[in-house]
Amino acid sequence: MSELTGYNFAYLDEQTKRMIRRGLLKAVAVPGLQVPFGGREMPLPYGWGTGGIQVTAAIIGDDDCLKVIDQGADDTTNAVSIRRFFAKTAQVATTEVTEDASIIQTRHRIPETPLVSGQILVYQVPIPEPLRFIEPRETETRKMHALSEYGVMHVKLYEDIAQFGQIATAYAYPVMVNGRYVMDPSPIPKFDNPKMHQNPALQLFGAGREKRLYAVPPYTDVVSLDFEDHPFEIQRWDGVCELCGADDTFLDEVVVDDQGARMFVCSDTHHCRSRRGEDA
Amino acid sequence: MREPILTARDVTREYAPGQGCLGVSLDVWPGEVLGIVGESGSGKSTLLRLLSGQESPDSGTLQFIDRHQTVWDLCSSSESDLRYLGRTEFGIIHQNPRDGLRLRISAGGNIGERLMGVGERHYGDIRAEAEKWLAEVEIDPSRIDDRPAVFSGGMQQRLQIARNLVTHPKLVFMDEPTGGLDVSVQAKLLDTLKRLVHDLGISVVIVTHDMGVARLLADRLLVMKSGQVIESGLTDQVLDDPHAAYTQQLVASILQVN
Ligand SMILES: Nc1ncnc2c1ncn2[C@@H]1O[C@H](COP(=O)(O)OP(=O)(O)OP(=O)(O)O)[C@@H](O)[C@H]1O
Ligand SMILES: [Mg+2]
């Protein structure tokens, strides 16, 4: 990829990166705590991962290898643009192979391939505050976090069961981190929640619009909230992936022809291809 | 040996010279209903906020004894402790149910919130408890999944009461709980309140400017004027034989209406 001149390494200036890194250190020190940071304007609109990009820009180095996924796919517009952005502004290697990546920036999924120690998963977060649905005031939600006043999180789950007979929340399913802070895991499917628990990789979260950072350090407890008589459950499918036959992955329903025929396939495109022997 | 569960001494919160709550002392005894009456602006709501830890006084002392006989100095308690007391030992019934309810959450969720806030994690138990409390406050339990936004004013006030009483607080503060309701609804609600207070043996501090409400619910009355308590005593005593000229006026004003 051709080198871009006139920009600092990874686009952000060094002072901003240091500021973000300080925020990240605090976030890692207090797992699940939302740390405010002075977010910068990025050359793309909010909702396209500006928070995740700033985190990635602050931690990426010459010898890193970057993978970017959007809904599990490496080849969507958003994922491709962000990968190109760093290939140009930081001249780093990029990959679609989960095992080869040192940094994985993600929107809406955690890779199926188990992550290992040394890898960093960077989440793009639209709404970092899990209490926002019930409490619009920032001063009040901060107080609720500080005092561990989390009863209302269960009120939300109670309402789900009362209305739908089960906990219907399927994405951004709230978790308790390290037994202390309730955290919004970003809009990943609850299918991925168990992967956050005791993960050997470092998990970093960046919310661009709301200018918040938070983190789950390696090997940290992450527990999905539930009721004794309505325990947390992940999504399940009747069938298997129609491309690779996997019966243990998150499946997307895709339309395959003009007649509206549909099939279920792995949402994690790299995982699916490697199971079919297509990736090295 | 019985002792007051709440003791206030010289409690003062002065917003402007002569305005607010000035040097009020009182005791609240277990199981009693203490009424606070007085004209508009006399400091009733201010006193209630101070007693319930929603606001801190400029000076004075406040002592509360909880169900475990732990003695709390409310003036030096941390905000965390005060909020804990607020959802376990205290109940607060606002005049406007909108201030005390979550309008977009179902009736069951509103009642269950305090249970979940103190660690209850069994959906079936929470729901059963919510149904029981709806019945207690005479709301049809089949309304459990309705939102309070579609309830009448009287039902909203009943729901607010259920939501507070579900964790069996020891001391409930009410600021004009029947204020916004029409007379027949008010009367029924007062009956319910009287029964619950009696059955549960809770203590209540109730602010009202309605001498009829005071007469029906309160065992003792404090009369406030310009931030100070100017007269106190058993309710019948104060209403039938008021000493201060101001109290005589207050009482006379309702007698004329009747
Ligand atoms: N937050 C505040 N800031 C400034 N002044 C206040 C505040 N709250 C109350 N006051 C003043 O303190 C005095 C007592 O007010 P308070 O609301 O306690 O009266 P009240 O007896 O409850 O009246 P009402 O019957 O009308 O509800 C009034 O002069 C009021 O203007
Ligand atoms: Mg008032």
Side-chain angles (χ1 to χ4, degrees), chain B:
Chain B
M1 196 188 70
R2 275 159 57 98
E3 27 175 9
I5 61 168
L6 184 69
T7 308
R9 291 291 174 266
D10 278 320
V11 169
T12 297
R13 175 81 178 94
E14 196 165 15
Y15 296 111
Q19 277 179 30
C21 179
L22 312 171
V24 171
S25 299
L26 59 81
D27 295 320
V28 181
W29 294 85
E32 83 162 337
V33 178
L34 178 66
I36 300 174
V37 297
E39 67 186 358
S40 184
S42 57
K44 307 182 293 294
S45 298
T46 304
L47 175 59
L48 207 67
R49 286 198 303 276
L50 296 172
L51 296 178
S52 57
Q54 297 175 80
E55 201 173 324
S56 356
D58 302 330
S59 61
T61 60
L62 278 168
Q63 189 193 69
F64 173 71
I65 302 176
D66 73 12
R67 69 191 71 208
H68 311 294
Q69 296 304 116
T70 305
V71 179
W72 298 82
D73 172 359
L74 297 185
C75 297
S76 66
S77 294
S78 65
E79 185 176 15
S80 164
D81 285 342
L82 289 175
R83 286 170 72 119
Y84 169 77
L85 287 175
R87 60 177 190 273
T88 54
E89 299 283 328
F90 297 164
I92 296 175
I93 316 281
H94 299 263
Q95 171 172 358
N96 187 343
R98 280 159 201 281
D99 296 332
L101 291 175
R102 296 194 188 278
L103 293 180
R104 296 186 304 159
I105 299 289
S106 70
N110 266 284
I111 299 176
E113 180 176 343
R114 271 173 78 122
L115 292 170
M116 295 181 244
V118 295
E120 179 59 62
R121 292 290 177 266
H122 190 282
Y123 174 83
D125 291 351
I126 293 165
R127 201 163 167 85
E129 197 64 10
E131 279 171 345
K132 187 191 118 192
W133 275 97
L134 284 173
E136 281 286 351
V137 297
E138 292 154 47
I139 296 175
D140 181 351
S142 73
R143 304 294 300 268
I144 188 166
D145 294 328
D146 291 350
R147 294 174 179 201
V150 303
F151 284 3
S152 70
M155 284 169 75
Q156 289 182 349
Q157 209 51 303
R158 287 167 187 278
L159 182 60
Q160 206 192 164
I161 291 162
R163 169 179 158 89
N164 272 277
L165 295 188
V166 64
T167 49
H168 299 274
K170 269 191 79 178
L171 177 56
V172 177
F173 299 93
M174 306 184 184
D175 197 347
E176 308 267 10
T178 60
L181 305 172
D182 63 44
V183 180
S184 63
V185 176
Q186 222 183 72
K188 277 199 207 145
L189 184 65
L190 287 171
D191 281 345
T192 308
L193 269 179
K194 198 172 169 65
R195 174 176 55 78
L196 286 173
V197 167
H198 179 262
D199 291 354
L200 298 170
I202 49 179
S203 305
V204 174
V205 180
I206 180 169
V207 163
T208 181
H209 59 246
D210 184 329
M211 298 301 147
V213 171
R215 169 94 73 183
L216 192 71
L217 281 183
D219 301 308
R220 283 194 305 133
L221 277 190
L222 298 184
V223 182
M224 287 190 76
K225 180 177 186 258
S226 310
Q228 291 173 311
V229 174
I230 56 153
E231 184 161 358
S232 66
L234 296 175
T235 301
D236 292 341
Q237 209 173 42
V238 172
L239 292 183
D240 297 338
D241 183 19
H243 284 204
Y246 172 80
T247 315
Q248 290 167 6
Q249 275 175 15
L250 268 184
V251 176
S253 67
I254 67 128
L255 288 180
Q256 281 157 15
V257 174
N258 290 355

Side-chain angles (χ1 to χ4, degrees), chain A residues 183-210:
Chain A
M183 185 185 93
D184 187 318
S186 86
I188 58 171
K190 64 180 175 181
F191 180 89
D192 285 341
N193 275 22
K195 296 179 189 165
M196 309 182 87
H197 178 63
Q198 288 290 328
N199 197 307
L202 169 63
Q203 303 174 71
L204 302 176
F205 299 77
R209 193 191 330 253
E210 302 214 17

